[in-house]
Amino acid sequence: MADQPRTAPAARWVPWVLMAVVVAVALAVGSRPADDATEEDRVRAIASTVKCPACSGQSAATSDAPSATAIRAEITRRVRRGESDDEIRGYLAGRFDDILLTPTSSGAGGVVWALPVAAVVMAFAGLAFAFRRWQASSPTTASPADRDLVARARTGGSPADAHGEGDGR
Amino acid sequence: MNAAVGSAGVVLGFVSAAGGIVTIALGLLGGRRGMLRQIVPFVALVALGAVVAVAAMERGLITRDFSMAYVADHGSSKTPALYNVATLWSALEGSILLWALVLAGYLAAVTAKFRHRLDDPLVGWALLTMFAVCVFFFGLMLGPANPFHTVAVAPLDGPGPNPLLQNHPLMAVHPPMLYLGYVGFTVPFAFAVAALVTGRVGEGWLVETRRWTLFAWAFLSAGIVLGAWWSYEVLGWGGYWAWDPVENASFLPWLTGTAYLHSVMVQERRGMLRVWNLSLLCATFALTILGTFLTRSGVLDSVHSFSESAIGPLLLGFFALVVFVTVGLIGWRGDRLRAPGRIDSPRSREGSFLANNLLFAAFALVVLLGTVFPLVVEAVNGDRLTVGEPYFNRMTMPIGLALLFLMAVAPALPWRKASAETLAQRLQWPAWAGTGVLVLAVVLGARGVAPLLAFGLGGFAAGAAVRQIVLATRRQGWRGFMGRTNGGMIVHLGVVLIAVAFAASSSYDHQREAALDPGESVEVAGHTITYLGFEEDTSDPAKVERRARVRVDDDGVYEPTLQRFPNGSQEIGTPSVRSSLVDDVYLALLDPPASDGGPVRLRVIVAPLVMWLWIGGGVIVFGSALAAFPGSRRRGTEPTSALVAAGRDTSPVARRPGAARPDQERPERPERPENEPIGVG
């Protein structure tokens, strides 16, 4: 732990710059695709985005139903033929109705994608706005009632209504 | 006989709860405070009714009383004792019965806890709310979810519970845990309603219910993790979380409850976010009802939805009522809820809690939308829309990473405002811890930006939690583990373990399906799996088991099994897992040999770090227990008592000589130990 708050400002940031470099290098090395992914891993990755037609709510990757097995076999065939993931998914989507586990980005399905993103953006924008307003407003000053409350609390007496709970107690 | 006694218990519970409501209402509205003291017998009778009903049901199950419809439908003379007892919660009616029992237990506990303040209107309204919830659930059992129907001609035997529910002991503990969590949120909800009705929307009620919320949250967490473990050990597809609607239903209140446990600290410390906190509590309770509706009405397709019934409209109606009443109350009390304070800087503890809450709310929105939206679309225009696992994974991954980042930064942030220098200094070694984990992961061969970020940020967050615990124990000795802040850091460590294990096991698993002749081996991710032979076991009257004997590496024989229960038409597989701290080898038997000595078809999955999910769950529960212990006892309802106690120099901080040293922790330490902002009741 760094216990020297008195070091020169510039020197204090040196470890952080160093850390940023290390992190960037590690992520750059780590972002290369894994070299040990087998054909089966790829088939399963594709199958896990596709519904098993015969079962409810399961993906073709996890189901043992014959239709799921058939879909996996079809994916394996196409993987061996060298088709890309999207090509295979496109083929399946064309062959079966409503087979993909992800909703489409158009139509009603678009709401599921767009709404959370819009909500988060708006919430953080609202928060930023609130902070600006709080920053702009002058800090609240203590009223005589507040000072009275503090004085009584300090002398050990309990305030009658410390937290604005009303008189229901 | 059992059915008659059970029905009597349900009626007793219902009538006593209704009587409780009338008594409290008379006391509160008629101005006769004395009546409020008369509530104890009603509470006792509700609890008695629930206990009698559950005891009658268990007696029926244990004595195999097949004249009871529930026992005839779900019991069996061949079910082993443990699962026979657990049959209570294996179907709808019994689940509602368990719910009522837990609810009555909470009602009794709240009454006992506040026995000296029963004439306080706040407590009165809270009990009234709880009685109202009791009336609803006991009412369900008088109506569409009656567990004590009888059959005219008792069958000689029953089919037993769903086979998937009787082949793992976790089934005996997971549902009760989940219910203790689910139902536990009724208590803070009841106090929230009481605070709104009485207008005492200050901080008193928060302090009163902090422990209750934490208790419910810890059980819900444990229930969710145990549920994941159960599906991993039983369902045979090698996963533990599929964003299944039933899982989502339990996860939603967990998300809003977690958000509340954080934002409530802003209200205790700064008096702000009152509306938000009330909304979160009400949402949490409403989501437990909505979740029950989703899972128990058969409205969703799900591998877990074992039951369907006509209680859907009632649950949906109750959900609507809860939303309507709470929104109305919050609107009505809007003027009293306006926050007096302001947040000085986003770079502060309260600023980070705000961000945390936004992220948790967004998380809950994603899960809710993904679960409910297809239903809404189908109800509106009949279109079928599929929202599956890939959607949830893609949408929640950035939120999860952002939450890990906040977990790392927030514990180092002081209240009100932090300078960049303070922050840089406090975060330095947690950040190096994260960097170290990241580099280690890359060196070990982990690839992919998302999982690597999860590891790095996980290390960062764990570093921040450890730093806080180290500082606290240095100041306070063993007490540094106790209290909300420090216990909370242990919980954070558990969450980090789960996040890292989730990222690793879902990103780096390897799966093979192989047809193996006896003696043949297959290599999966560095493990040698050898098929030894096959056997059929008919010694157990409850089921026929067919097992493949499989050796994993050189350290043991594992037996993935297919089980057929006498009355279950479907043969279910039970996987066998070799677990270790590094990775799990998961074996599922897909096809038995067609002829003697023929090949079997096996599914082999090797996934790293899975065991740390369960360990993380244990750490979360342990940390919650520590967080429930106060550092020192104070009177909770009197905020000023905390100040007086600190002034008398009785706190462990002041007594330790080291505490006088002006260390870098000064700015974030107020007059009292920071782990106890306001005493607890």
Side-chain angles (χ1 to χ4, degrees):
Chain A
M1 204 180 326
D3 256 329
Q4 280 86 37
R6 296 275 176 268
T7 43
R12 206 161 36 227
W13 298 105
V14 169
W16 289 94
V17 174
L18 188 66
M19 192 185 304
V21 172
V22 173
V23 168
V25 170
L27 282 179
V29 173
S31 63
R32 289 184 304 124
D35 40 10
D36 64 337
T38 61
E39 179 188 289
E40 293 212 16
D41 291 336
R42 225 190 112 199
V43 169
R44 196 160 66 104
I46 299 171
S48 68
T49 63
V50 171
K51 227 195 295 189
C52 150
C55 17
S56 55
Q58 261 186 305
S59 83
T62 59
S63 169
D64 300 330
S67 57
T69 316
I71 284 182
R72 284 202 297 271
E74 179 65 36
I75 296 174
T76 311
R77 237 190 329 275
R78 284 168 185 271
V79 163
R80 283 186 189 148
R81 213 186 289 165
E83 291 186 20
S84 77
D85 292 13
D86 284 334
E87 279 169 358
I88 298 173
R89 261 194 290 271
Y91 160 77
L92 289 169
R95 167 115 185 265
F96 301 92
D97 206 26
D98 184 37
I99 185 109
L100 296 182
L101 273 168
T102 41
T104 53
S105 51
S106 60
V111 175
V112 191
W113 292 107
L115 191 63
V117 177
V120 168
V121 169
M122 271 165 59
F124 274 100
L127 207 56
F129 177 74
F131 272 116
R132 286 190 60 155
R133 219 184 43 187
W134 277 324
Q135 224 104 67
S137 71
S138 64
T140 45
T141 50
S143 68
D146 294 335
R147 292 180 192 288
D148 188 41
L149 193 69
V150 172
R152 262 186 297 154
R154 287 175 71 104
T155 54
S158 73
D161 187 18
H163 278 154
E165 303 207 3
D167 52 0
R169 207 189 286 236
Chain B
M1 216 279 278
N2 290 321
V5 172
S7 293
V10 172
V11 171
L12 177 68
F14 181 82
V15 171
S16 312
I21 292 180
V22 172
T23 310
I24 296 182
L26 283 177
L28 287 170
L29 303 177
R32 287 181 291 176
R33 291 270 184 106
M35 299 245 341
L36 291 176
R37 295 217 153 270
Q38 309 306 315
I39 207 65
V40 176
F42 291 98
V43 174
L45 288 175
V46 171
L48 180 70
V51 169
V52 164
V54 169
M57 178 58 86
E58 286 294 359
R59 186 164 183 276
L61 284 168
I62 291 167
T63 59
R64 268 85 179 181
D65 178 359
F66 292 114
S67 68
M68 295 169 71
Y70 189 83
V71 182
D73 289 344
H74 308 290
S76 153
S77 59
K78 300 189 187 71
T79 310
L82 178 69
Y83 302 111
N84 197 28
V85 170
T87 301
L88 175 67
W89 46 84
S90 73
L92 170 77
E93 292 85 357
S95 301
I96 301 287
L97 188 53
L98 178 66
W99 187 301
L101 177 72
V102 176
L103 185 58
Y106 274 115
L107 176 69
V110 168
T111 312
K113 171 81 183 168
F114 293 99
R115 61 192 177 281
H116 300 305
R117 285 178 53 191
L118 290 177
D119 53 359
D120 183 335
L122 186 81
V123 177
W125 280 104
L127 286 175
L128 182 101
T129 310
M130 292 192 77
F131 274 128
V133 181
C134 284
V135 162
F136 176 74
F137 278 96
F138 279 98
L140 281 184
M141 288 191 286
L142 291 178
N146 187 343
F148 296 107
H149 277 306
T150 51
V151 285
V153 182
L156 292 175
D157 204 345
N162 185 310
L164 287 175
L165 300 182
Q166 50 169 321
N167 65 355
H168 200 284
L170 276 174
M171 207 51 218
V173 273
H174 152 63
M177 291 265 184
L178 203 59
Y179 276 40
L180 277 169
Y182 246 47
V183 184
F185 283 114
T186 312
V187 178
F189 167 74
F191 276 88
V193 168
L196 282 167
V197 173
T198 56
R200 283 159 55 183
V201 290
E203 285 65 50
W205 68 271
L206 283 179
V207 179
E208 311 282 10
T209 58
R210 165 173 112 70
R211 288 259 185 76
W212 298 87
T213 314
L214 191 61
F215 185 83
W217 183 88
F219 273 107
L220 184 58
S221 309
I224 292 173
V225 173
L226 289 176
W229 197 2
W230 171 80
S231 77
Y232 181 72
E233 296 282 345
V234 168
L235 294 182
W237 56 276
Y240 41 82
W241 191 263
W243 298 104
D244 180 88
V246 177
E247 295 163 351
N248 293 349
S250 65
F251 195 42
L252 278 168
W254 187 89
L255 287 170
T256 52
T258 311
Y260 169 78
L261 283 176
H262 289 93
S263 64
V264 69
M265 290 185 252
V266 180
Q267 183 172 343
E268 285 181 16
R269 187 64 79 105
R270 304 289 314 273
M272 304 176 67
L273 305 184
R274 290 174 180 181
V275 179
W276 176 245
N277 284 325
L278 284 165
S279 310
L280 279 176
L281 271 185
C282 296
T284 304
F285 178 73
L287 284 171
T288 64
I289 304 295
L290 183 70
T292 312
F293 162 71
L294 290 176
T295 54
R296 291 298 176 189
S297 65
V299 70
L300 291 164
D301 297 334
S302 156
V303 288
H304 297 289
S305 259
F306 296 113
S307 53
E308 298 189 3
S309 92
I311 72 166
L314 282 173
L315 283 167
L316 196 59
F318 188 58
F319 168 73
L321 179 74
V322 168
V323 171
F324 181 75
V325 167
T326 52
V327 169
L329 279 173
I330 292 173
W332 176 52
R333 286 296 187 193
D335 55 327
R336 291 209 191 198
L337 289 167
R338 207 151 293 147
R342 60 173 203 155
I343 292 181
D344 307 82
S345 161
R347 211 162 55 204
S348 64
R349 184 73 65 87
E350 52 269 53
S352 67
F353 280 145
L354 273 185
N356 149 310
N357 269 240
L358 281 187
L359 290 172
F360 270 110
F363 207 137
L365 178 66
V366 166
V367 177
L368 184 67
L369 210 57
T371 313
V372 174
F373 194 68
L375 292 177
V376 176
V377 170
E378 197 178 344
V380 169
N381 61 10
D383 283 353
R384 288 202 50 98
L385 185 76
T386 308
V387 180
E389 212 180 328
Y391 166 81
F392 290 103
N393 286 337
R394 198 183 305 173
M395 292 294 275
T396 57
M397 190 258 290
I399 301 177
L401 290 178
L403 282 170
L404 277 177
F405 176 75
L406 275 182
M407 268 170 78
V409 176
L413 282 169
W415 292 89
R416 290 201 173 260
K417 197 164 189 168
S419 70
E421 285 76 20
T422 317
L423 207 53
Q425 191 191 21
R426 291 182 181 181
L427 288 178
Q428 196 166 74
W429 85 256
W432 277 115
T435 311
V437 172
L438 173 65
V439 170
L440 182 71
V442 172
V443 168
L444 288 177
R447 293 293 179 267
V449 172
L452 283 177
L453 279 177
F455 299 152
L457 290 171
F460 191 12
V466 169
R467 172 184 173 277
Q468 164 73 29
I469 295 167
V470 166
L471 289 174
T473 45
R474 214 185 269 168
R475 282 200 300 271
Q476 310 171 29
W478 61 271
R479 273 201 186 279
F481 288 107
M482 317 272 268
R484 174 160 57 187
T485 306
N486 306 312
M489 288 303 117
I490 308 256
V491 174
H492 275 195
L493 285 177
V495 173
V496 167
L497 286 180
I498 289 180
V500 168
F502 185 86
S505 60
S506 57
S507 306
Y508 306 121
D509 57 336
H510 294 282
Q511 174 167 344
R512 291 272 317 255
E513 276 170 29
L516 295 177
D517 283 313
E520 199 182 346
S521 296
V522 63
E523 185 101 2
V524 181
H527 293 279
T528 311
I529 284 87
T530 311
Y531 169 53
L532 301 176
F534 200 79
E535 64 188 31
E536 186 164 316
D537 180 358
T538 51
S539 60
D540 187 344
K543 60 195 174 192
V544 178
E545 290 199 339
R546 297 196 287 166
R547 309 190 191 105
R549 292 167 41 77
V550 179
R551 193 168 64 220
V552 176
D553 296 334
D554 283 326
D555 51 40
V557 172
Y558 294 82
E559 296 185 330
T561 305
L562 287 173
Q563 299 181 331
R564 186 184 294 281
F565 290 79
N567 303 305
S569 54
Q570 153 205 28
E571 188 161 40
I572 62 161
T574 301
S576 179
V577 189
R578 197 210 62 180
S579 297
S580 77
L581 292 177
V582 178
D583 59 7
D584 275 19
V585 179
Y586 190 99
L587 304 164
L589 176 56
L590 297 179
D591 290 324
S595 58
D596 267 358
V600 288
R601 220 158 57 81
L602 283 180
R603 173 182 293 154
V604 183
I605 305 170
V606 176
L609 303 187
V610 174
M611 199 194 254
W612 291 95
L613 290 164
W614 329 132
I615 296 175
V619 172
I620 287 179
V621 172
F622 178 63
S624 305
L626 290 177
F629 281 107
S632 55
R633 287 213 167 266
R634 288 185 214 108
R635 281 180 57 208
T637 49
E638 215 58 85
T640 49
S641 72
L643 281 173
V644 176
R648 281 203 308 266
D649 273 7
T650 52
S651 66
V653 185
R655 261 189 273 123
R656 285 180 64 83
R661 173 174 55 93
D663 58 18
Q664 80 267 30
E665 288 307 292
R666 262 305 172 219
E668 77 180 68
R669 220 166 62 207
E671 313 86 324
R672 44 187 194 250
E674 87 175 299
N675 52 0
E676 286 299 312
I678 293 183
V680 244

